[in-house]
């Protein structure tokens, strides 16, 4: 059974320095899901640590925070987007590809645009995408105010 879902996409600083935000949004159009919220965020450490709190104990946590806050990529910002559509979470994760860019399918966003950061070994994964309904709800609430989401379904 198909379900209408909302999911959070973050276009990360590595994608911003590569100037591929447009390509990523263009690929997302092909999924036939609807953009219902979008903003540019200068990510502070506190938001970064909350967003990635599940990885707090991982060896790559420090570099992950430096990555998402732009410290590894010229202090770049993040574009945060909420999409809504049928099976949006799974559809987006499939387009995004697996976490290690070297192993991601060549046609996926990470296969096309991702790489392993040479100095830190940080996986430059180009985008973040929610991986479950529960995490999508938590993440959308963390990144967006209620009135920043456009709801045309009334
Ligand atoms: O992003 P995704 O949900 O696919 O992967 P994750 O396991 O939740 O990891 C979050 C992020 O941590 C990744 O997108 C990478 O940027 C980073 N990471 C890393 O730098 N090195 C790893 N070995 C694993 C993840
Ligand atoms: Mg994850």
């Amino acid at each position: 059974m198909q379900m209408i879902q909302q999911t959070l996409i973050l276009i990360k600083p590595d994608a911003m320095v590569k100037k591929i935000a447009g390509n990523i949004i263009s690929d997302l159009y092909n999924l036939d899901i609807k953009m219902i919220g979008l903003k540019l965020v200068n990510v502070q450490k506190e938001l970064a640590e909350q967003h990635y709190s599940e990885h707090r104990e991982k060896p790559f946590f420090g570099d992950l925070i430096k990555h998402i806050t732009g410290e590894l990529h010229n202090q770049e910002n993040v574009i945060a987007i909420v999409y809504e559509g049928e099976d949006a979470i799974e559809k987006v994760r499939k387009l995004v590809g697996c976490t290690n860019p070297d192993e991601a399918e060549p046609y996926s966003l990470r296969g096309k645009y991702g790489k392993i950061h040479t100095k830190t070994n940080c996986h430059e994964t180009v985008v973040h995408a929610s991986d479950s309904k529960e995490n999508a709800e938590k993440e959308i609430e963390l990144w967006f105010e209620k009135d920043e989401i456009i709801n045309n379904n009334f």
Side-chain angles (χ1 to χ4, degrees):
M1 199 182 73
Q2 292 198 315
M3 297 240 298
I4 302 291
Q5 297 175 328
Q6 295 184 353
T7 187
L8 178 80
I9 313 294
L10 303 174
I11 301 181
K12 293 178 164 189
D14 58 307
M16 299 297 272
V17 289
K18 290 170 187 159
K19 302 188 193 295
I20 53 167
N23 308 55
I24 291 168
I25 291 171
S26 178
D27 281 358
L28 283 159
Y29 270 116
N30 295 330
L31 299 183
D32 204 21
I33 52 178
K34 195 170 164 19
M35 201 184 267
I36 58 167
L38 181 147
K39 64 180 170 181
L40 187 66
V41 185
N42 182 242
V43 180
Q44 300 301 302
K45 204 162 172 241
E46 195 189 342
L47 173 60
E49 288 181 350
Q50 269 180 281
H51 176 75
Y52 279 126
S53 60
E54 66 171 309
H55 296 305
R56 202 172 287 272
E57 308 300 329
K58 304 270 172 64
F60 57 83
F61 185 69
D63 286 331
L64 178 55
I65 299 306
K66 283 189 192 162
H67 176 204
I68 196 79
T69 55
E71 208 178 306
L72 296 181
H73 298 94
N74 204 23
Q75 299 303 323
E76 263 297 353
N77 301 305
V78 161
I79 296 177
I81 314 175
V82 181
Y83 280 93
E84 185 178 81
E86 274 179 11
D87 291 333
I89 295 169
E90 199 192 321
K91 269 190 194 167
V92 171
R93 287 288 297 193
K94 214 170 155 199
L95 173 70
V96 165
C98 72
T99 307
N100 184 335
D102 286 351
E103 289 166 8
E105 302 74 4
Y107 52 82
S108 67
L109 293 176
R110 288 170 172 175
K112 281 201 282 191
Y113 304 121
K115 71 181 181 77
I116 311 268
H117 193 263
T118 39
K119 285 197 200 107
T120 61
N121 207 35
C122 171
H123 294 23
E124 296 188 342
T125 48
V126 186
V127 294
H128 165 82
S130 307
D131 63 2
S132 65
K133 191 167 177 291
E134 192 193 353
N135 282 341
E137 279 167 14
K138 262 196 275 180
E139 290 169 4
I140 292 167
E141 203 180 307
L142 180 65
W143 286 79
F144 282 82
E145 301 293 337
K146 279 214 158 49
D147 65 2
E148 291 174 323
I149 307 287
I150 313 277
N151 184 349
N152 290 328
N153 300 324
F154 45 80

